[in-house]
Amino acid sequence: MFARAYATSIRPISLGRELIGLLDLMATKGTVSNAYAIFLNNDDLVAFADVEQHLVRELIDAATRHCMQLGYPHGDPISVVLQADDTIKSGTFMVKASTQQVFKNPPAETKPPIVQESTVQSEPTPPIVTPKALAVNAALVLATGQRFELTGDSVKIGRHESCSVVFADSNVSRVHAQLQHDLTGWLVVDLGSTNGVKVNGTKISKEKLLVDGDELTFGTSTARFVTS
């Protein structure tokens, strides 16, 4: 997931593999949760502090894509949180899943979630309490203010009515471009359009990874890519 050094022996790819393994285990039992928590020693959690949001987003993306590829139903969008737990030894971690979505400050009447846990760490861990959850949402906001929420793995953009985002602009090709989602995030892909695609005023050759606030130009029509 990341090619860099951390002040911990835990690597992001190990977290991803264990999360995917837990998804597969739950699928064999007929119930796949949409909420997951990864418990780490506080020192290990601190080592990921500067990339925590990016790491969580990648874990969510990986889990969501895995469920889609294998047809695992999970109800609401998948959420993943990193949680400090000093009963866990440094360099180890535990992945837990619940049958209920994890919320910050849950109502008093909420029943404790039913959990299944992986076998990475045999030591007991406390229940999940007020974790820092991250939801991954993206949208395309047109110059008119119209907002298109981006769902699924791809969204086609063009002049033809079959596209998800339609521009009534003769400078826009019938099927001009596509927003495509993968493990790195959302990319804009030029589908061989006549007038090309620009990101922040620069024409792309084929595709480009998008970040929050990027301005996209299709022909003479513009839109802004936003995340939250």
Side-chain angles (χ1 to χ4, degrees):
M1 291 185 177
F2 296 94
R4 56 163 290 177
Y6 297 95
T8 172
S9 61
I10 299 174
R11 293 294 174 263
I13 191 65
S14 299
L15 302 179
R17 286 173 178 168
E18 190 60 27
L19 176 59
I20 295 302
L22 182 54
L23 281 167
D24 290 337
L25 176 62
M26 297 185 72
T28 64
K29 298 181 178 180
T31 302
V32 176
S33 174
N34 65 306
Y36 297 87
I38 300 176
F39 293 92
L40 310 98
N41 182 276
N42 187 64
D43 290 340
D44 294 318
L45 185 59
V46 169
F48 290 125
D50 60 337
V51 295
E52 182 177 347
Q53 288 193 342
H54 192 176
L55 172 58
V56 170
R57 179 175 284 114
E58 286 203 354
L59 291 170
I60 291 172
D61 287 345
T64 301
R65 182 171 294 274
H66 188 71
C67 287
M68 292 180 64
Q69 289 176 340
L70 298 183
Y72 297 163
H74 54 81
D76 293 333
I78 288 176
S79 68
V80 176
V81 298
L82 303 185
Q83 181 77 19
D85 179 3
D86 284 332
T87 67
I88 293 180
K89 295 179 181 178
S90 180
T92 64
F93 63 92
M94 175 178 282
V95 182
K96 297 180 73 174
S98 72
T99 56
Q100 299 177 9
Q101 178 74 19
V102 179
F103 293 95
K104 187 173 183 179
N105 298 324
E109 67 272 17
T110 301
K111 295 181 180 180
I114 301 170
V115 301
Q116 298 185 32
E117 63 184 56
S118 72
T119 58
V120 172
Q121 171 59 257
S122 60
E123 296 182 10
T125 60
I128 301 172
V129 179
T130 62
K132 297 177 288 184
L134 174 66
V136 177
N137 297 300
L140 200 63
V141 181
L142 307 190
T144 60
Q146 188 175 6
R147 181 185 179 97
F148 291 89
E149 299 295 334
L150 303 181
T151 59
D153 285 336
S154 64
V155 175
K156 287 187 177 180
I157 300 166
R159 198 174 71 250
H160 195 269
E161 61 182 11
S162 64
C163 295
S164 300
V165 180
V166 179
F167 287 104
D169 180 352
S170 61
N171 292 293
V172 175
S173 298
R174 287 169 61 82
V175 182
H176 195 105
Q178 178 172 283
L179 295 184
Q180 182 173 307
H181 191 242
D182 65 15
L183 289 179
T184 62
W186 282 94
L187 299 92
V188 60
V189 182
D190 188 344
L191 298 179
S193 64
T194 301
N195 294 310
V197 176
K198 293 181 180 179
V199 177
N200 299 323
T202 301
K203 190 173 183 178
I204 67 172
S205 57
K206 176 59 179 177
E207 63 182 40
K208 182 175 176 58
L209 181 65
L210 299 176
V211 298
D212 183 37
D214 277 347
E215 183 177 78
L216 311 181
T217 303
F218 310 99
T220 58
S221 297
T222 63
R224 187 169 298 277
F225 175 79
V226 296
T227 63
S228 59

